[in-house]
Amino acid sequence: MEQILANGLYLGAQYALIALGLTLIFSLMNVLNFAHGQMYVFGGFVTYTVVAQFGLPFIVGLLASAAVLAVMGGLIEKFLFRPVIRRSKREESTMLLAAGIAFFLDAVILLLFGEKQRGVPKIVNGVLNWDMRIIMPYDRILIGVLAITLIASFILFMQYSRTGRAMRALAQDRMAAQLMGVDVDRYSMIGFALGAMLAGLVGGLLVTITGINLGMGGPTSVKAFLMIMIGGAGVISGAIAGGFILGMMESVGLTLLAAYGDITYLVIFATLMVFLAIRPQGLMGKPWG
């Protein structure tokens, strides 16, 4: 049981960090960013390039991923999503644009980095063995702690900084925030950049654990959408809760259902469908409409 809880917390921390970026973008702009998984992959490849190719410390690679993805997110919002939102009255337009960006980033990743699995050496060696109840490599513990630290920092930033308060006001009521003097365009760009940066940071963190490859973008996006559906679309606390719930469900499933083959996500999807039929707005979301 202790091992299942430890694995669930480790998985939940990284999943929650992925979901935070996606739900932030959705809450600010009402945009489903289908390219979120590709941003995660791009961030992992940036860290890999800085650490493995240039020989720089891991922290430099992580900061490079954050910077590159923040710039990428800001540019995508300013030059792609903003014009489409202004000119189109149909929400399907942003969904199609997001899907197109996902395919474009896949092509860019293939061109720049190739399709092979890439990774960097462990940043910490050794394994924790607590009375044979919990066995976990120290690098996973470190990555989990860093992920939880980043989640806490994000919450504090949104709660107490001027930029965070402006984005919260924008998420609650876009028109009212604009009437109160909030620069909607500026904070939408900052929010999209921050969401993309979080995706890049998770990719950079996990390149030391799972490695990174071209095919990870789509499954990562699916998991991110699962998490915000569980917690409630556009709700920060719901994204965090959804991440840890999915992490625990995956940990339990991989442990208890291992004898039945790879059916963990089949069970998770079936459970999610029943849950959404009962509560379609998620745990913390408000009823649609």
Side-chain angles (χ1 to χ4, degrees):
M1 179 60 71
E2 292 90 345
Q3 185 69 54
I4 293 175
L5 289 174
N7 290 338
L9 288 173
Y10 162 73
L11 291 171
Q14 55 180 278
Y15 288 166
L17 198 56
I18 295 172
L20 274 178
L22 183 63
T23 203
L24 175 64
I25 293 170
F26 179 80
S27 65
L28 291 176
M29 302 172 59
N30 200 30
V31 167
L32 291 171
N33 182 24
F34 293 114
H36 204 69
Q38 282 72 17
M39 292 177 175
Y40 158 88
V41 172
F42 202 96
F45 274 115
V46 170
T47 298
Y48 160 77
T49 301
V50 171
V51 176
Q53 301 294 323
F54 297 156
L56 296 175
F58 175 74
I59 187 64
V60 177
L62 203 59
L63 293 175
S65 291
V68 170
L69 268 296
V71 172
M72 178 191 293
L75 293 176
I76 287 174
E77 190 282 330
K78 182 174 182 179
F79 294 109
L80 295 177
F81 280 106
R82 191 182 303 176
V84 169
I85 291 172
R86 283 179 176 173
R87 295 171 186 171
S88 177
K89 301 299 182 182
R90 297 174 63 90
E91 293 184 359
E92 295 90 338
S93 300
T94 57
M95 296 173 65
L96 291 171
L97 175 60
I101 293 171
F103 289 126
F104 174 77
L105 289 179
D106 272 337
V108 171
I109 292 168
L110 178 62
L111 180 65
L112 295 179
F113 306 109
E115 59 183 6
K116 293 182 179 180
Q117 178 86 3
R118 306 291 184 183
V120 301
K122 289 186 175 184
I123 52 177
V124 179
N125 293 315
V127 177
L128 172 69
N129 187 342
W130 182 50
D131 197 27
M132 296 301 292
R133 295 181 180 179
I134 298 177
I135 301 175
M136 182 169 288
Y138 285 126
D139 58 342
R140 293 197 175 197
I141 296 174
L142 177 60
I143 296 302
V145 170
L146 287 174
I148 292 173
T149 302
L150 288 170
I151 292 170
S153 301
F154 175 83
I155 294 172
L156 291 174
F157 172 79
M158 293 295 293
Q159 191 73 28
Y160 297 109
S161 71
R162 180 178 178 182
T163 301
R165 289 195 296 268
M167 288 193 288
R168 284 166 51 209
L170 186 60
Q172 290 172 7
D173 193 322
R174 191 179 186 89
M175 186 60 69
Q178 193 169 14
L179 292 174
M180 292 297 292
V182 175
D183 189 337
V184 171
D185 289 341
R186 180 190 178 201
Y187 287 107
S188 292
M189 183 175 70
I190 292 174
F192 204 105
L194 184 57
M197 184 187 77
L198 289 174
L201 280 172
V202 183
L205 286 172
L206 294 185
V207 75
T208 66
I209 306 294
T210 61
I212 205 79
N213 64 66
L214 178 64
M216 296 174 71
T220 301
S221 292
V222 171
K223 287 185 179 181
F225 283 112
L226 274 176
M227 289 178 271
I228 65 170
M229 284 190 291
I230 293 170
V235 183
I236 298 292
S237 55
I240 297 172
F244 280 100
I245 289 171
L246 181 62
M248 285 297 178
M249 290 176 70
E250 189 171 318
S251 177
V252 171
L254 291 174
T255 302
L256 301 182
L257 302 177
Y260 300 98
D262 192 13
I263 64 168
T264 298
Y265 266 91
L266 177 64
V267 174
I268 290 175
F269 277 116
T271 305
L272 179 63
M273 287 189 291
V274 174
F275 169 73
L276 291 177
I278 299 171
R279 190 174 176 81
Q281 71 269 28
L283 287 174
M284 301 180 184
K286 295 180 180 180
W288 294 103

